[in-house]
Amino acid sequence: MSDAKVTSLDVARMAGVSQSAVSRVFSGASASKTTIAKVRAAADRLGYRPNRLARAMITGKSRIIGLVVAYLDNQFYPLAIERLSQALQERGYHILLIMAGNSPEGIESVMADLMTYQVDGIITASVAMSSDLTERCAAMGIPVVMFNRGQDGSGLSSITSANVEGGRKVAEFLLAGGHGRIAHVAGWQGSSTGRDRTQGFCAALAEAGAPPPETIDGMYDRDTAAAAARKLMERPEPPDAIFVGNDHMAFAVMDTLRHEIGLRIPADVSIVGYDDVPMAAWAAYDLTTLRQPVNRMVEATVDTLLAEIEDPARGHERVEITGPLIIRGSARVPEGWT
Amino acid sequence: MSDAKVTSLDVARMAGVSQSAVSRVFSGASASKTTIAKVRAAADRLGYRPNRLARAMITGKSRIIGLVVAYLDNQFYPLAIERLSQALQERGYHILLIMAGNSPEGIESVMADLMTYQVDGIITASVAMSSDLTERCAAMGIPVVMFNRGQDGSGLSSITSANVEGGRKVAEFLLAGGHGRIAHVAGWQGSSTGRDRTQGFCAALAEAGAPPPETIDGMYDRDTAAAAARKLMERPEPPDAIFVGNDHMAFAVMDTLRHEIGLRIPADVSIVGYDDVPMAAWAAYDLTTLRQPVNRMVEATVDTLLAEIEDPARGHERVEITGPLIIRGSARVPEGWT
DNA sequence: AGGTTTGTTGCATACGTTTTCAATTACGCT
DNA sequence: AGCGTAATTGAAAACGTATGCAACAAACCT
């Protein structure tokens, strides 16, 4: 029934009221019972829905959030996106999705693109932002929240798990398990998350008097992580435990140890990951890992972003969310460990 | 430097030209060398970028594509989204992402939401559309392309792999491998892809004189598939080969057989999947599977959608893309098979 | 009853752009 | 020089909505 384009004016004519009346009904402003009824009836009959772009022009609020994400091969991100999208939809916002490689100039151009859509805010998922860009966003008055990545210099808000503390927990667990030669395939050291986890891990080892772990940067990449695992095992005294900077790389390490080198996990080597993506619970890996609480991180991200949108004068926030160590079968479990 | 909102009028004033001139420079219409230079200079200095929403209002083209997707836990979809987003970005379009559970009324409201953003087109990834909704989209003159799902009744365009043919190939491969008791954990029979694969598979078996396979619907769900595997193996004459309707479920089946029932793959049971997601190549699974060529499917999707956008009178298209069987180690390989 | 508050309504304007149209300028040619 | 054609330009209208303002009606109070 409904023809191509039906505007508020069409509805107004059919309902016998002014265009403003129609607008008021749909924007929740006050109107009398009778007009509301007339407008609603006409609108239903014509299949009218307000044009959000036109609305955005007037109000200056597009109710669009730009989501910038680097890659989707790490299962953690699809999951986060799914939750983010749902949480934002419930609040009346929608996501404009942008894929950006991790090159700085790529990010740059992509963010500029986003601005032209007049997004109300931006969420970056594991993307590093230059301080130049940071400033430009601030100048444009457009809130940015970094999900699962911090940026030391910038004044931007960020939501992460408690990575330093997480690294410590893993170290304590491995030490309690009686491991003597502990190694580390690190998360990308160019990222705050990677650095923090490594730092907490090494600090706890040092405090316990353990030797510093043999460490290789796995770059959050499967192949790099697999190569790192090979290299570690070629040593004259190979490790009996490896902390891997995220689950995605941990799977690669486990595959390499088991099917390429022929080792048993955890009998020969204990493996601990970070994230607790769904796959970590699959029987094939059964990975002991430090959980990043996606749901709470998403909630915090949405809350922070919308708060900054509604009150631009609001300061930036830096939220860290603590997660538990999920104990499964990929690492030797210390006596009497809960 | 750039202040909050800089419009074409600001640029015009600084460049000493009319606002129309600025518009012409940025919309690629003709202008003299000198004006172009003046405008460019002023725009750069002010950090001006045209407001795409305002542009969309008058042109009627938002350059936004709505992407509706049900779930993201099957790795096939993140991958497809990544590619889709990139392909569309290259063509000047961007993606408005919507998560929709698979409930019909959810889809309904979500699509209506999309319309209010004046999207130029919609891609649905593995979502079923009611014929009512189909009609409304057609009435609105808004092109829809279904990715990895067909809809028999509707006149909408769809891009799928050659599912019937794919099912046949798997059957032929398993028969050639000398398997006598072939079972099937089917893709969701409420979806065209699931039905087609099953149909091709069963048809080929029947033509070869093999008994019809024991079949259970796995609903594209891990838990359901795992339960199906258990049930199949409890039979007095358990299967020596299982064709699973997609890789995502195949992983669950393999986990169950190996770690719960203690069977070896492929020595005790051969497993074949469908999709060839990246994980299928991982050593832990090393899954023989029928590849869905994501890249070509994405290309076809984008081409079809943009073609329909540019020429609304264009008819709908139903593209099927053939994929090869990727032979790995999860199924017995017939003698001399390439 | 009269004055005051409260609520409802329509008119007109604004948002930032593209695009038509007419006017002006530049240019080629005899 | 002069004329015709092409290229360039600015003014103004449009896109679909929200909203300030003034007008008006209704209700309330003393």
Side-chain angles (χ1 to χ4, degrees), chain B:
Chain B
M1 295 305 108
S2 61
D3 250 343
K5 295 289 173 195
V6 32
T7 77
S8 59
L9 202 64
D10 300 325
V11 176
R13 272 196 276 266
M14 166 166 287
V17 298
S18 75
Q19 182 269 332
S20 344
V22 177
S23 168
R24 274 189 275 259
V25 169
F26 279 90
S27 59
S30 76
S32 70
K33 286 281 178 197
T34 59
T35 22
I36 291 185
K38 282 192 291 187
V39 168
R40 282 256 132 76
D44 284 352
R45 213 132 77 80
L46 268 56
Y48 168 78
R49 309 240 8 207
N51 180 331
R52 300 189 78 147
L53 301 191
R55 176 179 285 184
M57 287 232 45
I58 73 107
T59 60
K61 312 260 96 192
S62 62
R63 306 236 131 199
I64 297 178
I65 302 296
L67 176 58
V68 184
V69 59
Y71 302 111
L72 255 39
D73 46 5
N74 177 349
Q75 207 192 6
F76 184 71
Y77 292 106
L79 198 64
I81 290 180
E82 187 173 330
R83 301 275 203 283
L84 276 171
S85 169
Q86 280 164 346
L88 285 170
Q89 270 174 241
E90 279 166 19
R91 307 255 224 142
Y93 286 81
H94 290 267
I95 283 186
L96 197 63
L97 179 69
I98 305 262
M99 302 295 314
N102 235 332
S103 72
E105 72 276 9
I107 302 283
E108 183 83 14
S109 91
V110 138
M111 297 282 280
D113 249 24
L114 270 185
M115 309 264 183
T116 68
Y117 279 108
Q118 313 301 113
V119 294
D120 291 342
I122 295 180
I123 298 173
T124 64
S126 114
V127 171
M129 291 187 53
S130 72
S131 55
D132 169 47
L133 190 50
T134 299
E135 279 172 26
R136 282 182 43 188
C137 289
M140 294 280 289
I142 181 167
V144 177
V145 174
M146 309 176 64
F147 178 86
N148 203 30
R149 184 112 354 154
Q151 187 80 9
D152 296 325
S154 85
L156 294 187
S157 292
S158 66
I159 315 289
T160 62
S161 69
N163 289 302
V164 177
E165 182 193 327
R168 303 188 77 95
K169 281 187 191 167
V170 173
E172 287 157 14
F173 175 78
L174 288 177
L175 287 169
H179 297 90
R181 297 182 309 282
I182 301 179
H184 181 33
V185 175
W188 180 40
Q189 295 295 297
S191 71
S192 67
T193 47
R195 283 193 306 268
D196 288 353
R197 289 169 199 173
T198 297
Q199 180 196 321
F201 182 66
C202 292
L205 287 183
E207 285 165 22
E214 197 71 40
T215 298
I216 302 180
D217 190 336
M219 307 296 286
Y220 289 141
D221 174 72
R222 257 188 84 82
D223 291 341
T224 313
R230 260 174 241 124
K231 196 153 182 189
L232 287 175
M233 286 304 158
E234 279 170 5
R235 304 243 147 207
E237 291 214 332
D240 60 354
I242 306 179
F243 168 40
V244 189
N246 71 359
D247 289 355
H248 182 68
M249 293 191 299
F251 301 138
V253 169
M254 291 177 78
D255 285 348
T256 304
L257 297 190
R258 282 174 173 161
H259 301 102
E260 200 174 300
I261 313 188
L263 295 172
R264 288 159 308 154
I265 298 170
D268 298 321
V269 191
S270 285
I271 303 290
V272 177
Y274 206 107
D275 274 351
D276 193 27
V277 297
M279 212 186 308
W282 294 8
Y285 293 105
D286 195 34
L287 178 65
T288 292
T289 186
L290 205 129
R291 169 176 298 164
Q292 294 209 88
V294 189
N295 290 335
R296 273 153 60 211
M297 287 173 69
V298 164
E299 265 177 54
T301 303
V302 172
D303 287 347
T304 304
L305 184 63
L306 297 195
E308 286 190 27
I309 287 173
E310 278 156 29
D311 176 13
R314 192 175 214 272
H316 301 292
E317 215 163 333
R318 195 168 272 263
V319 180
E320 282 199 357
I321 297 181
T322 300
L325 181 69
I326 304 297
I327 299 178
R328 296 204 183 90
S330 70
R332 195 191 308 157
V333 181
E335 283 295 323
W337 197 277
T338 43

Side-chain angles (χ1 to χ4, degrees), chain A residues 5-337:
Chain A
K5 296 291 172 193
V6 30
T7 78
S8 59
L9 201 65
D10 299 327
V11 177
R13 272 197 276 265
M14 167 167 285
V17 297
S18 75
Q19 180 268 328
S20 347
V22 178
S23 168
R24 276 189 272 261
V25 170
F26 279 90
S27 58
S30 74
S32 69
K33 287 281 178 198
T34 58
T35 29
I36 290 185
K38 281 192 292 185
V39 168
R40 281 254 132 79
D44 283 352
R45 212 133 76 81
L46 268 55
Y48 168 78
R49 309 245 0 214
N51 179 331
R52 299 188 80 145
L53 301 192
R55 176 177 286 184
M57 289 230 46
I58 299 296
T59 61
K61 312 260 96 198
S62 62
R63 307 238 130 197
I64 299 179
I65 301 295
L67 176 58
V68 184
V69 60
Y71 301 110
L72 257 38
D73 46 5
N74 177 349
Q75 205 191 6
F76 183 71
Y77 292 106
L79 198 64
I81 291 181
E82 187 173 330
R83 301 276 204 283
L84 276 171
S85 169
Q86 280 164 346
L88 286 171
Q89 269 173 240
E90 280 166 17
R91 307 254 221 139
Y93 287 81
H94 289 267
I95 282 185
L96 196 63
L97 178 69
I98 305 263
M99 301 295 313
N102 235 330
S103 70
E105 71 278 4
I107 303 284
E108 182 83 15
S109 90
V110 138
M111 298 279 281
D113 247 25
L114 271 184
M115 310 265 181
T116 67
Y117 278 107
Q118 313 300 110
V119 295
D120 291 343
I122 295 180
I123 298 173
T124 64
S126 108
V127 171
M129 290 188 53
S130 72
S131 56
D132 170 48
L133 189 51
T134 299
E135 281 172 25
R136 282 181 45 188
C137 288
M140 295 280 289
I142 181 169
V144 177
V145 174
M146 308 175 63
F147 178 86
N148 202 31
R149 182 106 2 148
Q151 187 80 8
D152 296 324
S154 84
L156 295 185
S157 293
S158 66
I159 314 290
T160 62
S161 69
N163 290 301
V164 176
E165 181 192 328
R168 301 190 79 93
K169 282 188 191 165
V170 173
E172 286 156 14
F173 177 77
L174 288 178
L175 286 170
H179 297 91
R181 297 182 309 281
I182 301 180
H184 180 32
V185 175
W188 179 41
Q189 294 295 298
S191 72
S192 67
T193 47
R195 281 194 308 269
D196 288 353
R197 288 168 199 174
T198 297
Q199 180 196 320
F201 183 64
C202 292
L205 288 184
E207 285 165 23
E214 196 71 40
T215 299
I216 302 180
D217 191 335
M219 307 295 287
Y220 289 141
D221 175 72
R222 256 187 85 81
D223 292 340
T224 312
R230 260 175 243 123
K231 199 154 180 187
L232 287 175
M233 286 305 157
E234 280 170 5
R235 303 243 148 207
E237 291 214 332
D240 60 354
I242 307 179
F243 169 39
V244 189
N246 72 359
D247 289 356
H248 182 67
M249 293 191 298
F251 301 138
V253 168
M254 292 178 78
D255 284 350
T256 305
L257 297 189
R258 282 174 173 161
H259 301 100
E260 202 175 296
I261 312 189
L263 295 172
R264 288 158 309 152
I265 297 170
D268 298 320
V269 192
S270 285
I271 303 289
V272 176
Y274 206 107
D275 274 351
D276 193 28
V277 297
M279 213 188 307
W282 294 8
Y285 294 105
D286 195 32
L287 178 64
T288 292
T289 185
L290 205 129
R291 171 176 297 165
Q292 295 209 87
V294 190
N295 291 335
R296 273 154 58 212
M297 287 174 67
V298 164
E299 264 177 53
T301 302
V302 171
D303 287 347
T304 304
L305 185 64
L306 297 195
E308 288 189 27
I309 288 174
E310 277 156 29
D311 176 13
R314 190 176 216 273
H316 300 294
E317 215 163 335
R318 194 169 273 266
V319 181
E320 282 201 356
I321 297 181
T322 300
L325 180 70
I326 304 298
I327 298 178
R328 297 204 182 89
S330 69
R332 196 191 310 156
V333 181
E335 283 297 323
W337 199 276

